[in-house]
Amino acid sequence: CPAAEEPVLLAELKPGRPQRYDWKSSCETWSVAFSPDGAWFAWSQGHCVVKLIPWPLGEAELGCKTSERKSRGSKVETWSRGAAKEKTLECGQIVWGLAFSAWPAPEDGDTDPACAVGLPCLVLATGLNDGQIKVWEVQTGHLLFSLLGHQDVVRDLSFAPNGSSILVSASRDKTLRVWDLSRDVLFSSGDTFLLSPGRQVQVLSGHVQWVYCCSISPDCSMLCSAAGEKSALLWSMRSYTLIRRLEGHQSSVVSCDFSPDSALLVTASYDACVIMWDPYTGEQLRTLRY
């Protein structure tokens, strides 16, 4: 077999302008995400800002690195992104979590200006330092609505992969919350009652430490959550009840993810181990150590 090519750095993304430092902002990048169709890349740039970048990067942005790859025979595909342009989302708070999802296509008579009738649009959910979740329309960069309920930092977000508009949020308030963005909620603004998308479906309590990570299985049957504890929790996405605790790590579990076929679950911990689980039985299949 031919020797594998050495990895090539295509581009390095840096803030385009200096930002002022104050107690409300931060210079850290906490989260990055690609849209499901690969057309957009989002990163929490720090300073309460999210950058939305059309993907893949254009030739001018890739510069000589792309030319170098082409000269070596690597195939780099480019495609027309139409009017898609880089956007800056001013979130007003430090951004900890990011998640993309397709927004259901509006029907005839729908007054929502975010999407054309019959065409789904792309939304980005941002988890903020004050417990808010702000949901943005990607193509325009407009804020659609905010979800309120968490009492502390929203550390991670996960949309259901089946396009059902179900969003799960994980927070430092030690809870997970399940939201249905397709349902309207009635709220009062002065003497006027208004409808806003996004109804809280369930609050999942069971962790005693900050919740770092949440992951919905690709078949949308299960949810795994990891907090500053030695066990991960596995939940049913049908009944929103706890299925089991996955115990085996010797230190805090900080990350979790399912395989594409939902047959495997992987957890990572500060104990420097990765454990592969059968999520249906809770059996430890393999432990990977450094």
Side-chain angles (χ1 to χ4, degrees):
C1 296
E5 279 192 18
E6 289 294 323
V8 175
L9 176 65
L10 295 181
E12 185 174 0
L13 304 179
K14 295 182 179 180
R17 65 182 190 275
Q19 301 279 346
R20 65 185 182 90
Y21 290 82
D22 59 39
W23 69 273
K24 293 183 179 180
S25 61
S26 168
C27 59
E28 294 92 348
T29 292
W30 283 107
S31 188
V32 294
F34 276 104
S35 62
D37 61 1
W40 291 89
F41 173 72
W43 62 300
S44 58
Q45 182 179 292
H47 313 284
C48 311
V49 168
V50 171
K51 279 289 186 181
L52 275 172
I53 302 172
W55 203 264
L57 293 176
E59 293 292 326
E61 293 161 296
L62 291 179
C64 62
K65 295 292 184 181
T66 301
S67 301
E68 183 181 342
R69 289 191 69 201
K70 283 187 174 182
S71 66
R72 294 210 307 248
S74 298
K75 188 175 181 181
V76 178
E77 295 182 1
T78 58
W79 52 280
S80 174
R81 294 188 293 265
K85 295 180 180 179
E86 180 180 309
K87 297 173 180 63
T88 299
L89 307 181
E90 300 281 352
C91 296
Q93 291 280 329
I94 298 170
V95 182
W96 292 79
L98 298 170
F100 283 97
S101 183
W103 189 255
E107 300 175 355
D108 288 327
D110 197 325
T111 59
D112 183 359
C115 307
V117 172
L119 296 175
C121 65
L122 192 64
V123 297
L124 175 70
T126 55
L128 307 183
N129 196 68
D130 63 354
Q132 284 191 76
I133 301 166
K134 291 187 176 182
V135 181
W136 309 78
E137 202 277 307
V138 171
Q139 192 64 36
T140 63
H142 292 158
L143 176 64
L144 296 178
F145 52 86
S146 297
L147 304 174
L148 306 178
H150 281 297
Q151 304 302 307
D152 208 334
V153 171
V154 177
R155 186 62 187 86
D156 197 22
L157 297 163
S158 182
F159 276 103
N162 61 1
S164 63
S165 299
I166 294 295
L167 172 68
V168 176
S169 53
S171 172
R172 283 186 181 177
D173 66 11
K174 305 174 186 178
T175 70
L176 298 112
R177 293 173 190 255
V178 184
W179 312 83
D180 186 348
L181 304 192
S182 68
R183 299 188 185 184
D184 291 335
V185 60
L186 186 68
F187 70 96
S188 174
S189 177
D191 297 328
T192 306
F193 288 92
L194 304 172
L195 281 176
S196 175
R199 187 173 76 87
Q200 185 173 279
V201 176
Q202 192 76 28
V203 178
L204 304 181
S205 301
H207 287 292
V208 296
Q209 300 292 338
W210 293 351
V211 189
Y212 291 128
C213 179
C214 59
S215 179
I216 301 175
S217 62
D219 65 5
C220 296
S221 67
M222 293 172 286
L223 166 72
C224 186
S225 57
E229 304 155 11
K230 296 180 181 179
S231 59
L233 301 189
L234 196 64
W235 310 82
S236 168
M237 283 296 289
R238 297 188 175 95
S239 62
Y240 300 120
T241 56
L242 182 64
I243 299 174
R244 62 176 58 89
R245 290 181 179 270
L246 302 174
E247 298 180 336
H249 283 290
Q250 303 305 307
S251 188
S252 300
V253 183
V254 293
S255 186
C256 56
D257 200 10
F258 288 90
S259 62
D261 61 0
S262 302
L264 296 174
L265 171 67
V266 178
T267 55
S269 166
Y270 284 148
D271 63 12
C273 292
V274 170
I275 298 180
M276 299 176 64
W277 310 81
D278 181 336
Y280 297 96
T281 65
E283 178 186 359
Q284 292 186 38
L285 302 177
R286 188 171 180 181
T287 300
L288 308 177
R289 304 178 188 276
Y290 176 70

